[in-house]
Amino acid sequence: TAKGVDGVVLRVTTGESAANGTVGDAWGFVFNLTLRGGPMRYETHQYMEFRYVQVDVLAGSFDVATNLDVGAWTAEYPYDAAESSFDSSDATLDGVYELARWTVEAGVLDTFTDSNTRERRPYEADMLCAGTARLWVQRDAALLRHSVSYVLEAPTWPVEWLQMAPLLAWADYMATGETVVAETYADLLRNDTR
């Protein structure tokens, strides 16, 4: 929302990295908004996933920035912070853990993907990495099971990633002690030729 000054152009940059106060647009979005006079609200309901956002005033009166309010809604799978923790005597190592933990917390919507901005659907190898990483910091294996079931029903690459499917069923078993995924998809796990 903004109290618009007619003709002011805002550039919105979203991305997965930020350095020296600047957001990088790799795997992000960049678009311009031209404001009209008076109060206004701009909404976009695009599927945009990003870690950082930056708004720059490109043209017009720079005092518009003081009247600018930027917000976003989020969609993410529940995460229980009480289920894991890490603390060491090294601030850098603590920072690496926090970045990794936060990525597991904030980067998951309803299935495991490598990058929702790039791929927009799960595939086997990313699911194995992300699902295993999540189980390091969360007890809930339901998301992994849902994701495994999804990719077994709708596999991606015809050859190499199918080799990950048995490992996904094994990961579910190791997390839950149950063989329901392996039993449900036994034929696919043994004979998948798609």
Side-chain angles (χ1 to χ4, degrees):
T1 59
K3 185 174 182 182
V5 176
D6 198 31
V8 168
V9 178
L10 304 178
R11 171 162 290 157
V12 179
T13 305
T14 67
E16 293 188 11
S17 65
N20 301 322
T22 301
V23 173
D25 62 358
W27 306 120
F29 301 87
V30 179
F31 54 92
N32 292 344
L33 300 173
T34 301
L35 301 181
R36 59 183 179 269
M40 64 173 290
R41 178 183 181 100
Y42 174 80
E43 289 187 19
T44 179
H45 296 276
Q46 297 177 31
Y47 184 65
M48 301 186 337
E49 186 171 286
F50 54 87
R51 295 176 194 262
Y52 304 97
V53 63
Q54 177 176 325
V55 179
D56 295 303
V57 179
L58 297 185
S61 172
F62 285 88
D63 63 359
V64 71
T66 61
N67 297 316
L68 188 64
D69 181 29
V70 178
W73 56 270
T74 62
E76 61 189 39
Y77 192 79
Y79 183 93
D80 185 351
E83 289 188 0
S84 61
S85 64
F86 180 85
D87 185 37
S88 76
S89 60
D90 186 318
T92 301
L93 187 57
D94 291 346
V96 169
Y97 168 80
E98 180 54 26
L99 176 62
R101 185 211 60 77
W102 184 76
T103 299
V104 169
E105 176 182 355
V108 177
L109 301 176
D110 62 349
T111 51
F112 291 115
T113 60
D114 174 46
S115 169
N116 288 308
T117 58
R118 187 174 69 239
E119 292 158 351
R120 300 187 185 198
R121 68 160 291 196
Y123 76 94
E124 295 85 343
D126 286 339
M127 191 177 308
L128 186 60
C129 294
T132 302
R134 185 169 181 90
L135 290 173
W136 291 338
V137 293
Q138 295 291 277
R139 292 185 189 120
D140 177 13
L143 180 60
L144 176 63
R145 182 171 287 174
H146 166 74
S147 297
V148 169
S149 298
Y150 177 91
V151 84
L152 286 170
E153 295 282 349
T156 55
W157 299 98
V159 180
E160 65 270 26
W161 296 124
L162 293 177
Q163 299 168 17
M164 301 293 166
L167 298 174
L168 291 165
W170 176 254
D172 180 80
Y173 168 73
M174 293 302 291
T176 64
E178 300 174 359
T179 57
V180 66
V181 171
E183 291 171 11
T184 302
Y185 297 102
D187 289 341
L188 290 177
L189 292 170
R190 278 191 217 104
N191 305 309
D192 199 339
T193 56
R194 290 183 271 177

